[in-house]
Amino acid sequence: MKKVILTLSLFLLMLPAMAQVERPRLVVGLVVDQMRWDYLYYYYNDYSEGGLKRLLSEGYSYENTQINYSPAVTAVGHSSIYTGSVPALNGIAGNWFWEDGKSKYCCTDTTVQSVGYTSAEGQMSPRNLWGTTIGDELHLATDFKSKVIGVALKDRAAILPAGHSADAAYWWDTSAGHFVSSTFYMTDLPQWVKDFNKANHTKPGFNIKTNDEGVTMTFRMAEAAVSNEKLGQTGGETDMLTISVSSTDAIGHVYSTRGPENKSVYMRLDRDVASFLTYLDKTVGKGNYLLFLTADHGASHNYNFLKQHRIPADGWDYDKSVKDLNAYLRTAFPQLTADPVLGEDNYHFYFNDKAFDGKDRQAIIDAAVNRLKEDKQFLWVVDNNRIATSDVPEPIKTRLINGITPHRSGDITVVTRPQVFGAQVSPSYKGTSHGQPMAYDVHIPFVLYGWHVEHGESTKAVNITDIAPTICAMLHIQMPDAAIGNSVR
């Protein structure tokens, strides 16, 4: 009888432990800025066994992951990855957009101050983002006992992924030559960040983003965050670290998708990923962390490079389009009191309501659409209020609709021909850009690795908005509140 009672007592004592939700110690979101899906294989033979090859050989790759909105740009990509949503719902219409007739940067917040330096580069927060992120939902699920930290060279790539309730976000202030944060998160940098900045800095004004060293600096800061904040090491709730590698984008913009510069930065990425995985194995424990690799967008090949191989391509001079359109509309509507077009961004034309002075706004928009349609570089020119009833085919139409943010997107969207993108138009131009709803811009990698991830791959259709619901389902937490995606596991 005593044995029965003892056994029953032990069983009852074990019940709380048995009832605990099983989660990894640490979740790492790794976003490689401007990483086309095919970079996984274009450089495959040159990757080391311990870096990107390790993720592919031991992880699970969703080979047909695509962005289901337009524009495909950095701020929108990072927001959509972590909210599981699109600009129409999460509010991030682009890196820059116009709101109330004023140009606005996605993370600028003049109500906060820089922490770690005195420049405006630190006056940033996630307040323009609508809805929660994976990290916000993890906080809510653990009564804010988890730690969530974002690290990147770009402010928007550190801030938007980490979310509203993040314990910290750190980004690089070029004018200072080191990492900073803002008073949205803290009033002073932790001592370990000060020590890191003292040991790891550049000359003020040096743009580390356009250098391979920017990749290494990012991972070095990520390791310092894991070490000093004891992420995934306390035995308590699951922590989260969001990392974005920005140098791949900056270098790609200057040198495009081919050539020694792009290869060099991806070889550096591979080596740093290998080192970081080894570090996590030692500190958090192999199998104890869940990591996902993805990208915020892809990129087009350089149009001069494509032309050399008889592939149709070209550059679009968007500034000239704005100038010419304003000149045409001022002539067609002499009653206009100012240039009606504020500018172009994200392949959207923004109009200045103050110039209409009570005149027929729709007539002016209609005239602008018809004028832009004369440009043979455009496949479609659409009034954003009429996209749903336009003749734009699927899936392009849905991508355009998903990309319209109320009060922040433009009045007209243009879709260029494939491999035609907004850029400097010159026979000597060797860079690239992105933003359009075409395969080269929207096809991105998505690889799961680590905790409870089996090896394999799938070519089933997956959207960028499925990433957050997938991670949340694995953690057994609610998906972000504006999410429209579905778990793919």
Side-chain angles (χ1 to χ4, degrees), residues 72-89:
V73 297
T74 297
V76 184
H78 284 82
S79 300
S80 295
I81 290 165
Y82 287 92
T83 64
S85 194
V86 294
L89 291 171

Side-chain angles (χ1 to χ4, degrees), residues 22-23 69 87 93 101 107 121 140 150 187 203 211 215 239 249 259 270 278 345 372 375 386 392-393 409 427 459:
E22 188 179 6
R23 295 186 179 121
Y69 56 78
C107 289
E121 291 186 58
L140 289 165
T187 56
K203 182 179 179 180
N211 191 289
V215 180
D239 297 320
D249 178 73
D270 179 62
T278 299
D345 211 334
L372 289 170
D375 190 334
R386 299 174 176 176
V392 179
S409 291
T459 57

Side-chain angles (χ1 to χ4, degrees), residues 44-221:
Y44 184 86
N45 293 339
D46 296 306
Y47 290 145
S48 65
E49 295 300 323
L52 295 173
K53 272 187 181 178
R54 175 178 169 182
L55 297 182
L56 289 171
S57 63
E58 298 180 24
Y60 196 95
S61 180
Y62 295 90
E63 299 281 279
N64 188 22
T65 301
Q66 300 205 20
I67 294 171
N68 55 339
Y69 56 78
S70 178
V73 297
T74 297
V76 184
H78 284 82
S79 300
S80 295
I81 290 165
Y82 287 92
T83 64
S85 194
V86 294
L89 291 171
N90 65 33
I92 301 301
N95 298 332
W96 289 85
F97 47 84
W98 270 269
E99 187 172 37
D100 299 325
K102 297 179 180 178
S103 181
K104 190 172 188 177
Y105 178 63
C106 59
C107 289
T108 293
D109 185 350
T110 57
T111 69
V112 302
Q113 299 300 315
S114 176
V115 174
Y117 200 59
T118 57
S119 78
E121 291 186 58
Q123 288 188 285
M124 304 287 167
S125 84
R127 286 195 170 108
N128 287 325
L129 177 68
W130 303 334
T132 58
T133 62
I134 301 171
D136 291 328
E137 294 299 334
L138 181 61
H139 266 151
L140 289 165
T142 63
D143 293 325
F144 298 90
K145 294 174 184 176
S146 297
K147 283 187 178 180
V148 178
I149 295 176
V151 171
L153 297 183
K154 290 183 181 180
D155 51 71
R156 57 187 180 270
I159 292 168
L160 298 172
H164 300 277
S165 65
D167 296 272
Y170 302 105
W171 57 95
W172 191 265
D173 186 326
T174 300
S175 61
H178 62 232
F179 281 98
V180 298
S181 190
S182 80
T183 52
F184 180 86
Y185 306 97
M186 61 193 74
T187 56
D188 194 16
L189 292 178
Q191 188 59 47
W192 70 264
V193 178
K194 294 178 181 179
D195 294 341
F196 180 92
N197 282 340
K198 187 175 181 180
N200 303 271
H201 60 86
T202 66
K203 182 179 179 180
F206 172 71
N207 188 2
I208 195 174
K209 297 184 185 75
T210 58
N211 191 289
D212 291 2
E213 184 59 28
V215 180
T216 301
M217 187 69 79
T218 302
F219 279 102
R220 198 176 293 155
M221 181 62 170

Side-chain angles (χ1 to χ4, degrees), residues 244-462:
S244 181
V245 177
S246 305
S247 294
T248 44
D249 178 73
I251 290 171
H253 274 292
V254 177
Y255 298 105
S256 191
T257 60
R258 294 292 184 264
E261 296 86 2
N262 199 61
K263 181 175 181 180
S264 178
V265 73
Y266 275 91
M267 294 303 100
R268 177 71 72 98
L269 171 68
D270 179 62
R271 292 195 298 271
D272 287 343
V273 167
S275 177
F276 186 62
L277 292 175
T278 299
Y279 173 77
L280 291 179
D281 289 345
K282 293 179 179 178
T283 55
V284 182
K286 187 173 183 179
N288 291 328
Y289 59 90
L290 171 64
L291 181 146
F292 66 90
L293 166 75
T294 189
D296 51 349
H297 54 75
S300 172
H301 294 304
N302 175 267
Y303 58 77
N304 287 317
F305 163 74
L306 292 175
K307 285 179 178 180
Q308 291 171 8
H309 298 277
R310 303 187 301 278
I311 298 174
D314 212 341
W316 167 46
D317 188 339
Y318 44 83
D319 286 335
K320 184 177 184 302
S321 287
V322 171
K323 182 180 178 181
D324 290 349
L325 185 58
N326 270 326
Y328 167 75
L329 292 174
R330 291 294 293 269
T331 300
F333 298 89
Q335 71 271 28
L336 289 170
T337 58
D339 283 345
V341 184
L342 287 168
E344 179 279 336
D345 211 334
N346 309 311
Y347 295 88
H348 288 191
F349 284 80
Y350 288 79
F351 281 73
N352 179 11
D353 283 343
K354 294 180 180 178
F356 301 148
D357 194 25
K359 303 300 185 298
D360 188 347
R361 187 180 196 280
Q362 191 59 55
I364 295 169
I365 299 294
D366 291 343
V369 168
N370 290 331
R371 181 67 172 185
L372 289 170
K373 283 182 177 180
E374 296 176 8
D375 190 334
K376 294 182 180 179
Q377 291 190 108
F378 301 142
L379 289 174
W380 299 284
V381 180
V382 188
D383 178 343
N384 284 346
N385 288 321
R386 299 174 176 176
I387 288 179
T389 57
S390 71
D391 60 354
V392 179
E394 295 291 359
I396 304 299
K397 179 186 287 188
T398 293
R399 289 173 182 169
L400 297 185
I401 292 172
N402 286 343
I404 301 299
T405 306
H407 310 297
R408 289 180 177 176
S409 291
D411 298 275
I412 294 173
T413 295
V414 296
V415 180
T416 59
R417 297 199 319 266
Q419 300 291 357
V420 175
F421 59 88
Q424 176 186 344
V425 181
S426 166
S428 62
Y429 177 69
K430 59 181 180 180
T432 189
S433 193
H434 49 84
Q436 287 285 57
M438 304 297 181
Y440 45 82
D441 281 348
V442 304
H443 191 187
I444 56 174
F446 174 33
V447 183
L448 287 172
Y449 174 84
W451 182 82
H452 286 196
V453 176
E454 69 286 358
H455 170 58
E457 66 177 45
S458 171
T459 57
K460 71 178 181 180
V462 173

